[in-house]
Short mmCIF file of all heavy atoms in Angstrom, two decimals:
data_model
loop_
_atom_site.label_atom_id
_atom_site.label_comp_id
_atom_site.label_asym_id
_atom_site.label_seq_id
_atom_site.Cartn_x
_atom_site.Cartn_y
_atom_site.Cartn_z
N VAL A 121 -6.65 -14.97 -5.05
CA VAL A 121 -6.94 -14.52 -3.67
C VAL A 121 -7.79 -15.55 -2.95
O VAL A 121 -7.50 -15.93 -1.81
CB VAL A 121 -7.65 -13.16 -3.68
CG1 VAL A 121 -8.27 -12.85 -2.33
CG2 VAL A 121 -6.65 -12.06 -4.04
N ARG A 122 -8.83 -16.02 -3.62
CA ARG A 122 -9.72 -17.01 -2.99
C ARG A 122 -8.96 -18.28 -2.63
O ARG A 122 -9.20 -18.88 -1.57
CB ARG A 122 -10.87 -17.35 -3.93
CG ARG A 122 -11.88 -16.22 -4.10
CD ARG A 122 -13.10 -16.68 -4.92
NE ARG A 122 -13.96 -15.56 -5.21
CZ ARG A 122 -14.23 -15.11 -6.42
NH1 ARG A 122 -13.69 -15.71 -7.48
NH2 ARG A 122 -15.05 -14.11 -6.61
N ALA A 123 -8.06 -18.70 -3.50
CA ALA A 123 -7.30 -19.93 -3.24
C ALA A 123 -6.42 -19.76 -1.99
O ALA A 123 -6.33 -20.69 -1.17
CB ALA A 123 -6.44 -20.29 -4.45
N ILE A 124 -5.77 -18.61 -1.86
CA ILE A 124 -4.92 -18.39 -0.70
C ILE A 124 -5.75 -18.28 0.58
O ILE A 124 -5.39 -18.88 1.62
CB ILE A 124 -4.06 -17.11 -0.88
CG1 ILE A 124 -3.13 -17.26 -2.07
CG2 ILE A 124 -3.26 -16.83 0.37
CD1 ILE A 124 -2.38 -16.00 -2.43
N VAL A 125 -6.84 -17.53 0.52
CA VAL A 125 -7.71 -17.40 1.70
C VAL A 125 -8.24 -18.75 2.13
O VAL A 125 -8.28 -19.07 3.33
CB VAL A 125 -8.89 -16.44 1.40
CG1 VAL A 125 -9.94 -16.50 2.52
CG2 VAL A 125 -8.39 -15.01 1.25
N ARG A 126 -8.57 -19.60 1.18
CA ARG A 126 -9.08 -20.93 1.50
C ARG A 126 -8.00 -21.75 2.21
O ARG A 126 -8.29 -22.44 3.20
CB ARG A 126 -9.55 -21.65 0.24
CG ARG A 126 -10.26 -22.99 0.51
CD ARG A 126 -10.76 -23.61 -0.78
NE ARG A 126 -11.82 -22.78 -1.38
CZ ARG A 126 -11.68 -22.14 -2.53
NH1 ARG A 126 -10.52 -22.17 -3.19
NH2 ARG A 126 -12.68 -21.42 -3.00
N ARG A 127 -6.77 -21.64 1.73
CA ARG A 127 -5.67 -22.41 2.37
C ARG A 127 -5.41 -21.88 3.77
O ARG A 127 -5.18 -22.65 4.72
CB ARG A 127 -4.39 -22.29 1.54
CG ARG A 127 -4.43 -23.08 0.23
CD ARG A 127 -3.03 -23.34 -0.29
NE ARG A 127 -2.30 -22.13 -0.59
CZ ARG A 127 -2.30 -21.51 -1.76
NH1 ARG A 127 -3.04 -22.00 -2.74
NH2 ARG A 127 -1.59 -20.42 -1.94
N VAL A 128 -5.37 -20.56 3.92
CA VAL A 128 -5.12 -19.97 5.23
C VAL A 128 -6.22 -20.37 6.22
O VAL A 128 -5.95 -20.75 7.37
CB VAL A 128 -5.02 -18.43 5.13
CG1 VAL A 128 -4.97 -17.81 6.53
CG2 VAL A 128 -3.81 -18.03 4.33
N ALA A 129 -7.46 -20.31 5.76
CA ALA A 129 -8.60 -20.67 6.61
C ALA A 129 -8.54 -22.13 7.00
O ALA A 129 -8.79 -22.52 8.13
CB ALA A 129 -9.91 -20.36 5.91
N SER A 130 -8.17 -22.97 6.05
CA SER A 130 -8.10 -24.40 6.31
C SER A 130 -6.98 -24.74 7.29
O SER A 130 -7.14 -25.58 8.17
CB SER A 130 -7.87 -25.16 4.99
OG SER A 130 -7.72 -26.54 5.23
N SER A 131 -5.83 -24.09 7.15
CA SER A 131 -4.69 -24.38 8.03
C SER A 131 -4.97 -23.95 9.45
O SER A 131 -4.37 -24.47 10.40
CB SER A 131 -3.43 -23.69 7.52
OG SER A 131 -3.57 -22.27 7.61
N GLY A 132 -5.87 -22.99 9.62
CA GLY A 132 -6.19 -22.52 10.96
C GLY A 132 -7.45 -23.14 11.52
O GLY A 132 -7.99 -22.68 12.51
N ALA A 133 -7.94 -24.20 10.88
CA ALA A 133 -9.18 -24.81 11.32
C ALA A 133 -9.07 -25.36 12.73
O ALA A 133 -8.04 -25.96 13.09
CB ALA A 133 -9.59 -25.95 10.36
N GLN A 134 -10.10 -25.16 13.53
CA GLN A 134 -10.11 -25.67 14.89
C GLN A 134 -11.57 -25.89 15.29
O GLN A 134 -12.48 -25.42 14.63
CB GLN A 134 -9.46 -24.66 15.84
CG GLN A 134 -10.13 -23.30 15.82
CD GLN A 134 -9.45 -22.32 16.74
OE1 GLN A 134 -8.91 -22.69 17.77
NE2 GLN A 134 -9.50 -21.06 16.39
N PRO A 135 -11.83 -26.68 16.38
CA PRO A 135 -13.19 -26.89 16.81
C PRO A 135 -13.89 -25.55 17.08
O PRO A 135 -13.29 -24.64 17.67
CB PRO A 135 -13.02 -27.69 18.12
CG PRO A 135 -11.70 -28.35 17.99
CD PRO A 135 -10.86 -27.36 17.24
N ARG A 136 -15.14 -25.44 16.62
CA ARG A 136 -15.87 -24.20 16.82
C ARG A 136 -16.29 -24.09 18.27
O ARG A 136 -16.92 -25.00 18.83
CB ARG A 136 -17.08 -24.16 15.91
CG ARG A 136 -16.73 -24.11 14.44
CD ARG A 136 -17.97 -24.18 13.59
NE ARG A 136 -18.84 -23.05 13.86
CZ ARG A 136 -20.09 -22.97 13.40
NH1 ARG A 136 -20.59 -23.95 12.69
NH2 ARG A 136 -20.83 -21.91 13.67
N ARG A 137 -15.99 -22.97 18.92
CA ARG A 137 -16.39 -22.74 20.30
C ARG A 137 -17.06 -21.38 20.39
O ARG A 137 -16.78 -20.48 19.62
CB ARG A 137 -15.18 -22.81 21.22
CG ARG A 137 -14.56 -24.20 21.31
CD ARG A 137 -13.33 -24.21 22.18
NE ARG A 137 -12.26 -23.41 21.61
CZ ARG A 137 -11.10 -23.18 22.20
NH1 ARG A 137 -10.88 -23.67 23.39
NH2 ARG A 137 -10.17 -22.46 21.60
N ARG A 138 -17.94 -21.25 21.35
CA ARG A 138 -18.67 -20.00 21.52
C ARG A 138 -18.58 -19.52 22.96
O ARG A 138 -18.82 -20.27 23.91
CB ARG A 138 -20.13 -20.20 21.13
CG ARG A 138 -20.99 -18.95 21.31
CD ARG A 138 -22.39 -19.17 20.80
NE ARG A 138 -22.43 -19.32 19.36
CZ ARG A 138 -23.53 -19.62 18.69
NH1 ARG A 138 -24.68 -19.81 19.32
NH2 ARG A 138 -23.49 -19.73 17.38
N LEU A 139 -18.19 -18.27 23.11
CA LEU A 139 -18.19 -17.59 24.40
C LEU A 139 -19.40 -16.70 24.47
O LEU A 139 -19.65 -15.90 23.54
CB LEU A 139 -16.91 -16.74 24.57
CG LEU A 139 -15.60 -17.47 24.88
CD1 LEU A 139 -14.42 -16.55 24.60
CD2 LEU A 139 -15.59 -17.92 26.33
N THR A 140 -20.18 -16.83 25.53
CA THR A 140 -21.34 -15.98 25.70
C THR A 140 -21.29 -15.29 27.04
O THR A 140 -20.86 -15.86 28.04
CB THR A 140 -22.66 -16.78 25.59
OG1 THR A 140 -22.67 -17.77 26.63
CG2 THR A 140 -22.78 -17.45 24.24
N ALA A 141 -21.69 -14.03 27.06
CA ALA A 141 -21.77 -13.25 28.29
C ALA A 141 -22.98 -12.34 28.17
O ALA A 141 -22.92 -11.31 27.52
CB ALA A 141 -20.50 -12.44 28.51
N GLY A 142 -24.12 -12.77 28.76
CA GLY A 142 -25.33 -12.00 28.61
C GLY A 142 -25.69 -11.88 27.15
O GLY A 142 -25.74 -12.87 26.40
N PRO A 143 -25.90 -10.65 26.65
CA PRO A 143 -26.28 -10.45 25.24
C PRO A 143 -25.12 -10.53 24.26
O PRO A 143 -25.30 -10.42 23.05
CB PRO A 143 -26.90 -9.04 25.25
CG PRO A 143 -26.18 -8.35 26.35
CD PRO A 143 -25.95 -9.40 27.40
N LEU A 144 -23.91 -10.69 24.79
CA LEU A 144 -22.72 -10.73 23.95
C LEU A 144 -22.33 -12.17 23.63
O LEU A 144 -22.20 -13.01 24.51
CB LEU A 144 -21.55 -10.04 24.65
CG LEU A 144 -20.17 -10.08 23.96
CD1 LEU A 144 -20.25 -9.34 22.64
CD2 LEU A 144 -19.12 -9.46 24.87
N THR A 145 -22.19 -12.44 22.33
CA THR A 145 -21.79 -13.80 21.88
C THR A 145 -20.60 -13.70 20.95
O THR A 145 -20.60 -12.89 20.02
CB THR A 145 -22.95 -14.48 21.13
OG1 THR A 145 -24.08 -14.57 22.00
CG2 THR A 145 -22.55 -15.88 20.70
N LEU A 146 -19.60 -14.53 21.18
CA LEU A 146 -18.39 -14.57 20.35
C LEU A 146 -18.16 -16.00 19.91
O LEU A 146 -18.03 -16.89 20.74
CB LEU A 146 -17.20 -14.04 21.13
CG LEU A 146 -15.84 -13.97 20.42
CD1 LEU A 146 -15.00 -12.82 20.98
CD2 LEU A 146 -15.05 -15.28 20.59
N ASP A 147 -18.16 -16.23 18.61
CA ASP A 147 -17.97 -17.54 18.03
C ASP A 147 -16.53 -17.63 17.50
O ASP A 147 -16.18 -16.97 16.53
CB ASP A 147 -18.97 -17.79 16.91
CG ASP A 147 -18.98 -19.24 16.44
OD1 ASP A 147 -17.89 -19.79 16.22
OD2 ASP A 147 -20.06 -19.81 16.29
N GLU A 148 -15.72 -18.46 18.14
CA GLU A 148 -14.32 -18.59 17.73
C GLU A 148 -14.15 -19.28 16.40
O GLU A 148 -13.16 -19.06 15.71
CB GLU A 148 -13.51 -19.32 18.82
CG GLU A 148 -13.39 -18.56 20.12
CD GLU A 148 -12.52 -19.30 21.10
OE1 GLU A 148 -12.86 -20.43 21.48
OE2 GLU A 148 -11.47 -18.74 21.49
N GLY A 149 -15.09 -20.12 16.02
CA GLY A 149 -14.97 -20.85 14.76
C GLY A 149 -15.20 -19.97 13.54
O GLY A 149 -14.47 -20.06 12.56
N THR A 150 -16.22 -19.10 13.60
CA THR A 150 -16.57 -18.25 12.47
C THR A 150 -16.08 -16.81 12.62
O THR A 150 -16.27 -15.98 11.73
CB THR A 150 -18.08 -18.22 12.26
OG1 THR A 150 -18.70 -17.64 13.43
CG2 THR A 150 -18.63 -19.63 12.04
N HIS A 151 -15.50 -16.50 13.80
CA HIS A 151 -15.05 -15.12 14.09
C HIS A 151 -16.23 -14.14 14.04
O HIS A 151 -16.06 -12.99 13.60
CB HIS A 151 -13.94 -14.66 13.14
CG HIS A 151 -12.58 -15.10 13.59
ND1 HIS A 151 -11.48 -14.31 13.53
CD2 HIS A 151 -12.17 -16.26 14.13
CE1 HIS A 151 -10.43 -14.95 14.00
NE2 HIS A 151 -10.82 -16.15 14.36
N ALA A 152 -17.39 -14.60 14.46
CA ALA A 152 -18.55 -13.74 14.49
C ALA A 152 -18.82 -13.27 15.91
O ALA A 152 -18.72 -14.04 16.87
CB ALA A 152 -19.77 -14.51 13.96
N VAL A 153 -19.19 -12.00 16.04
CA VAL A 153 -19.53 -11.42 17.34
C VAL A 153 -20.91 -10.78 17.20
O VAL A 153 -21.19 -10.05 16.24
CB VAL A 153 -18.51 -10.35 17.76
CG1 VAL A 153 -18.96 -9.63 19.03
CG2 VAL A 153 -17.14 -10.99 17.98
N HIS A 154 -21.79 -11.07 18.18
CA HIS A 154 -23.13 -10.50 18.16
C HIS A 154 -23.43 -9.87 19.52
O HIS A 154 -23.01 -10.39 20.55
CB HIS A 154 -24.20 -11.57 17.87
CG HIS A 154 -24.16 -12.09 16.47
ND1 HIS A 154 -23.27 -13.09 16.07
CD2 HIS A 154 -24.89 -11.77 15.38
CE1 HIS A 154 -23.47 -13.35 14.79
NE2 HIS A 154 -24.46 -12.58 14.34
N VAL A 155 -24.11 -8.76 19.50
CA VAL A 155 -24.63 -8.13 20.72
C VAL A 155 -26.13 -8.05 20.56
O VAL A 155 -26.64 -7.38 19.66
CB VAL A 155 -24.04 -6.72 20.94
CG1 VAL A 155 -24.72 -6.06 22.14
CG2 VAL A 155 -22.54 -6.80 21.16
N ALA A 156 -26.85 -8.76 21.44
CA ALA A 156 -28.33 -8.83 21.39
C ALA A 156 -28.81 -9.23 19.99
O ALA A 156 -29.76 -8.70 19.47
CB ALA A 156 -28.93 -7.48 21.79
N GLY A 157 -28.06 -10.17 19.39
CA GLY A 157 -28.46 -10.69 18.10
C GLY A 157 -28.01 -9.90 16.89
O GLY A 157 -28.20 -10.33 15.76
N VAL A 158 -27.38 -8.75 17.12
CA VAL A 158 -26.91 -7.90 16.03
C VAL A 158 -25.42 -8.13 15.83
O VAL A 158 -24.63 -8.01 16.77
CB VAL A 158 -27.17 -6.41 16.30
CG1 VAL A 158 -26.64 -5.55 15.17
CG2 VAL A 158 -28.66 -6.17 16.49
N GLU A 159 -25.02 -8.47 14.60
CA GLU A 159 -23.60 -8.76 14.35
C GLU A 159 -22.76 -7.51 14.41
O GLU A 159 -23.15 -6.44 13.93
CB GLU A 159 -23.42 -9.42 12.98
CG GLU A 159 -21.99 -9.86 12.73
CD GLU A 159 -21.85 -10.78 11.53
OE1 GLU A 159 -22.83 -10.95 10.80
OE2 GLU A 159 -20.73 -11.32 11.34
N VAL A 160 -21.58 -7.63 15.03
CA VAL A 160 -20.63 -6.53 15.18
C VAL A 160 -19.37 -6.89 14.38
O VAL A 160 -18.78 -7.95 14.60
CB VAL A 160 -20.25 -6.30 16.66
CG1 VAL A 160 -19.24 -5.17 16.77
CG2 VAL A 160 -21.49 -6.01 17.48
N GLU A 161 -18.99 -6.05 13.45
CA GLU A 161 -17.81 -6.29 12.62
C GLU A 161 -16.55 -5.86 13.36
O GLU A 161 -16.38 -4.68 13.70
CB GLU A 161 -17.91 -5.54 11.30
CG GLU A 161 -19.01 -6.03 10.38
CD GLU A 161 -18.73 -7.42 9.81
OE1 GLU A 161 -17.54 -7.78 9.75
OE2 GLU A 161 -19.69 -8.11 9.45
N LEU A 162 -15.65 -6.81 13.63
CA LEU A 162 -14.40 -6.53 14.33
C LEU A 162 -13.22 -6.91 13.45
O LEU A 162 -13.30 -7.82 12.63
CB LEU A 162 -14.31 -7.31 15.65
CG LEU A 162 -15.40 -7.10 16.69
CD1 LEU A 162 -15.10 -7.96 17.92
CD2 LEU A 162 -15.50 -5.63 17.08
N THR A 163 -12.10 -6.21 13.64
CA THR A 163 -10.86 -6.62 12.99
C THR A 163 -10.34 -7.88 13.71
O THR A 163 -10.81 -8.24 14.79
CB THR A 163 -9.79 -5.53 13.07
OG1 THR A 163 -9.41 -5.33 14.45
CG2 THR A 163 -10.31 -4.22 12.50
N THR A 164 -9.36 -8.53 13.11
CA THR A 164 -8.80 -9.73 13.72
C THR A 164 -8.22 -9.42 15.09
O THR A 164 -8.41 -10.18 16.06
CB THR A 164 -7.70 -10.32 12.83
OG1 THR A 164 -8.24 -10.62 11.55
CG2 THR A 164 -7.10 -11.58 13.43
N THR A 165 -7.54 -8.29 15.23
CA THR A 165 -6.93 -7.94 16.51
C THR A 165 -8.00 -7.61 17.55
O THR A 165 -7.88 -8.03 18.72
CB THR A 165 -5.99 -6.73 16.35
OG1 THR A 165 -4.95 -7.09 15.44
CG2 THR A 165 -5.35 -6.35 17.68
N GLU A 166 -9.04 -6.88 17.16
CA GLU A 166 -10.14 -6.58 18.09
C GLU A 166 -10.80 -7.87 18.56
O GLU A 166 -11.16 -8.01 19.74
CB GLU A 166 -11.14 -5.67 17.42
CG GLU A 166 -10.63 -4.26 17.17
CD GLU A 166 -11.45 -3.47 16.17
OE1 GLU A 166 -12.36 -4.05 15.54
OE2 GLU A 166 -11.18 -2.27 16.03
N PHE A 167 -10.95 -8.82 17.64
CA PHE A 167 -11.56 -10.10 18.00
C PHE A 167 -10.67 -10.84 19.03
O PHE A 167 -11.19 -11.38 20.01
CB PHE A 167 -11.72 -10.96 16.74
CG PHE A 167 -12.39 -12.29 16.99
CD1 PHE A 167 -13.78 -12.37 16.95
CD2 PHE A 167 -11.65 -13.43 17.26
CE1 PHE A 167 -14.42 -13.59 17.18
CE2 PHE A 167 -12.27 -14.64 17.49
CZ PHE A 167 -13.67 -14.73 17.46
#
Side-chain angles (χ1 to χ4, degrees):
V121 164
R122 290 187 187 117
I124 297 173
V125 169
R126 188 177 294 112
R127 288 200 300 270
V128 172
S130 176
S131 66
Q134 57 182 329
R136 295 176 61 191
R137 293 177 295 176
R138 178 175 292 175
L139 283 163
T140 60
L144 176 63
T145 301
L146 181 150
D147 190 314
E148 294 184 299
T150 62
H151 275 221
V153 174
H154 291 81
V155 175
V158 179
E159 185 168 8
V160 179
E161 292 291 336
L162 301 181
T163 66
T164 302
T165 299
E166 291 163 352
F167 183 88

